[in-house]
Amino acid sequence: MASSPDVTSSADNTPGNPESGSPGRRGRVRLRRAAVMAVPAAAVAAGLAILTAEGALGVQFSISGMPFVVTADKLDGDGFEQFGALDHMIENSPNQGDTGGQVLVVTSVVKDGDITNMCQSVDLGGIQLILTAGGKGKPVHVENLAIDSDVIKGDAEFHGIEIGRDSSEFKKAGVAGPEGVYGQQADTVVINNLYQHNYAATAGVFKLPDLHMRFDTDGCPR
């Protein structure tokens, strides 16, 4: 659903296969994969949150590489999981910049939740496409929601939380993460003043009361 991106990226502009290509490229991909295990630890210290990565809900797709911002007054969810992952763009994507076509993300998953006063915006090159919903006393309702983020901010409260467990054993949101990857899960999560900078999202159910889409010069408030 977004702080400005401040993730350091590779200098190689071409996606690489870790089993082929130049030694330098193989080294960069290995470093990215190793870094996945450390990213959620930073997220815990920063403030945590909601939502998808490649394979999180059995869905695999290439990201566009155009990030989008999500803000909300409140997220209230049952069944929460979070772990690190890598998102991939199509080969030679015009949006890859100096990332090499890969983006290091934190995958957050909520099994069932409500989002109050949600705003989503994406920069289309000087003009913002904005979507708002979940106001006027009727929150957005989500089921099996997952989001890949590289920045998450907010005031978070968790109940029944487990930190540092292998993500492949997660069950509280019904999703198993990658083997050997650091993660956390909780029975419930509440996040006030939520801000996310995201690259992908999926949901089994996404109900948007009071939906409004428009173009504007400014995106969602940070």
Side-chain angles (χ1 to χ4, degrees):
M1 291 169 172
S3 162
S4 58
D6 48 9
V7 173
T8 302
S9 53
S10 165
D12 187 356
N13 287 351
T14 305
N17 184 325
E19 305 301 328
S20 62
S22 67
R25 183 179 301 164
R26 291 198 299 270
R28 278 189 291 274
V29 174
R30 290 194 186 101
L31 285 173
R32 288 176 181 275
R33 290 180 175 172
V36 165
M37 298 185 181
V39 169
V44 175
L48 306 173
I50 40 175
L51 325 152
T52 186
E54 191 173 306
L57 300 179
V59 176
Q60 293 185 350
F61 57 83
S62 298
I63 63 171
S64 70
M66 297 178 67
F68 59 98
V69 168
V70 170
T71 64
D73 288 351
K74 182 180 181 180
L75 165 74
D76 191 343
D78 291 327
F80 172 82
E81 298 175 1
Q82 191 173 63
F83 45 84
L86 277 174
D87 279 354
H88 302 270
M89 303 175 206
I90 61 172
E91 187 173 0
N92 299 319
S93 169
N95 299 320
Q96 70 182 23
D98 61 359
T99 66
Q102 296 177 322
V103 179
L104 191 61
V105 295
V106 176
T107 297
S108 305
V109 185
V110 172
K111 186 174 181 63
D112 188 278
D114 291 319
I115 303 171
T116 304
N117 288 331
M118 188 191 81
C119 177
Q120 176 178 302
S121 62
V122 57
D123 188 341
L124 300 178
I127 188 73
Q128 298 277 343
L129 174 60
I130 299 174
L131 178 154
T132 58
K136 299 181 179 179
K138 294 183 178 180
V140 171
H141 180 71
V142 296
E143 296 176 17
N144 297 323
L145 174 66
I147 287 186
D148 286 352
S149 313
D150 65 350
V151 177
I152 300 170
K153 296 181 180 181
D155 302 311
E157 179 178 333
F158 301 89
H159 288 260
I161 191 168
E162 300 173 352
I163 300 174
R165 187 169 183 174
D166 191 298
S167 68
S168 66
E169 295 185 346
F170 284 177
K171 296 181 180 179
K172 292 191 176 186
V175 175
E179 294 182 355
V181 171
Y182 172 106
Q184 58 186 11
Q185 64 174 351
D187 293 330
T188 64
V189 58
V190 175
I191 303 175
N192 292 304
N193 304 315
L194 175 65
Y195 172 93
Q196 293 181 315
H197 188 265
N198 304 321
Y199 281 91
T202 64
V205 174
F206 200 18
K207 295 182 179 179
L208 298 163
D210 193 31
L211 172 65
H212 182 200
M213 296 182 67
R214 70 183 191 277
F215 292 101
D216 206 333
T217 55
D218 298 318
C220 298
R222 297 182 181 275

